[in-house]
Amino acid sequence: MTVTLDPAVRELLARHARTPLPSTPPTAAELRASFAASWPRPTAVEPVASVRDHLVPGGDGAVRVRIYLPEATGPVPAFVWIHGGGWTIGSIDENEVASRAVCVAAGLAVVAVDYRLAPEHPFPAAPSDCYAVVEWLASGGAGPEVDGARIAIGGESAGGNLSTVVSMMSRDHGGPPISAQVLVCPVYGHPDDGFASYRDCAEGFGMTAGAMRFFFEQYVTEPAQLDDPYLLPLRAKDLTGLPPALVLTAEYDVLRDEGEEFARRLGEVVPVELTRYDGQIHGFYGLYTDLPASPRSHAQAAAFLRGVFSRE
């Protein structure tokens, strides 16, 4: 495989390569602490009209959400945003740049979800929390500034997985209608599914095949769960009734091929826009926001959402 990384990505990977690796595999708690201490915090963020945290009633306690509101004269649509981190690490804090950018550019409320993490809360805790947030929004829980009848959903990596899972749950259980999905480098299959990107991008591009195996070990408690479409949407036999989608993948990402395969299958039944970001790695959208491709991807997501809600 000829590697043509974006020069900014190459420099980022070189910086990370100078960080010594732990001598023993970390626990989930140690990985969270390391991630929280090392992820590149933004030096500046885009101003929005307001940012408020709420506690949403869930099936097993309250779910924290953060709502970013734009300047507006009436109720605005809601875009539920679900962070990545292999269902194991991460929080609503890590996507501050993307959440604010999409809020302003699309003129909608971004509702970031702080779902429960594995291994303390394995599958299906995360989708349960995210679905509870969608139901709360649809019931008017966010207040008069947010139109609970117009909801889109999206996420990066594990958050992309959860976005589609919540869309399936809403479809299957007669839940709130979801207008669209924004799916960034989503997890839809398993490392053993045989996708070429797991071989070609296994090491050296940030997210590794070994890291994905670690995340599955935290999230999955029974092997039979790997056949559940609510865990891995590529296992679904029927994708009809799901919302249209924007799917963004990264050229040098172990998850590239499964995201594109899901986009192909979903595109057989609903409109799907698929963009592969050449030269990019996992995390280019929400984590590594100093990369030149990052603001381009935020603008693309915002334009897609504007188009969706302008047609309703």
Side-chain angles (χ1 to χ4, degrees):
M1 179 177 68
T2 301
V3 177
T4 54
L5 284 170
D6 180 314
V9 171
R10 192 179 298 277
E11 196 277 330
L12 181 151
L13 290 173
R15 289 200 310 271
H16 281 264
R18 293 193 289 269
T19 303
L21 295 174
S23 56
T24 58
T27 64
E30 290 168 341
L31 192 62
R32 283 183 209 133
S34 174
F35 177 76
S38 64
W39 74 272
R41 287 168 173 77
T43 55
V45 293
E46 190 162 1
V48 297
S50 69
V51 181
R52 300 196 307 264
D53 283 10
H54 297 259
L55 292 177
V56 175
D60 188 20
V63 182
R64 185 169 69 115
V65 301
R66 180 167 297 160
I67 301 181
Y68 302 82
L69 284 172
E71 296 287 351
T73 57
V76 295
F79 177 44
V80 176
W81 178 257
I82 308 174
H83 70 79
W87 310 282
T88 304
I89 63 175
S91 74
I92 54 179
D93 296 321
E94 75 184 57
N95 294 150
E96 185 86 0
V97 170
S99 294
R100 288 170 173 267
V102 172
C103 169
V104 172
L108 46 68
V110 174
V111 183
V113 184
D114 213 14
Y115 57 90
R116 288 172 292 167
L117 299 175
E120 297 88 345
H121 304 285
F123 175 81
S128 174
D129 285 355
C130 297
Y131 187 67
V133 171
V134 170
E135 290 189 309
W136 176 78
L137 285 169
S139 71
E145 301 97 337
V146 180
D147 184 351
R150 294 191 293 165
I151 300 174
I153 193 166
E156 186 170 27
S157 192
N161 166 284
L162 292 169
S163 298
T164 295
V165 170
V166 169
S167 298
M168 289 177 168
M169 294 169 70
S170 188
R171 175 198 65 180
D172 296 344
H173 303 302
I178 296 175
S179 298
Q181 307 173 81
V182 176
L183 310 167
V184 184
C185 300
V187 184
Y188 285 139
H190 186 269
D192 291 335
D193 284 353
F195 288 108
S197 55
Y198 256 98
R199 179 188 67 244
D200 297 341
C201 306
E203 298 282 346
F205 300 105
M207 174 62 75
T208 66
M212 283 305 307
R213 290 187 180 280
F214 172 84
F215 291 137
F216 272 101
E217 289 167 1
Q218 312 311 303
Y219 190 50
V220 178
T221 57
E222 298 290 340
Q225 292 174 333
L226 294 173
D227 294 324
D228 189 335
Y230 284 178
L231 195 148
L232 293 177
L234 270 177
R235 305 302 193 248
K237 293 181 172 57
D238 182 10
L239 300 179
T240 57
L242 293 183
L246 170 66
V247 182
L248 308 181
T249 63
E251 183 179 10
Y252 298 103
D253 180 11
V254 291
L255 304 178
R256 179 195 68 213
D257 290 353
E258 63 199 66
E260 294 178 2
E261 171 63 13
F262 185 82
R264 182 194 65 77
R265 283 192 54 200
L266 184 63
E268 294 174 352
V269 293
V270 295
V272 172
E273 297 179 25
L274 170 64
T275 300
R276 178 189 290 187
Y277 273 71
D278 292 336
Q280 300 305 311
I281 58 171
H282 195 85
F284 75 92
Y285 178 94
L287 186 60
Y288 304 122
T289 52
D290 287 338
L291 293 174
S294 190
R296 296 202 307 271
S297 65
H298 304 158
Q300 184 177 5
F304 172 77
L305 291 166
R306 281 199 313 271
V308 166
F309 288 119
S310 70
R311 294 188 290 271
E312 291 189 346

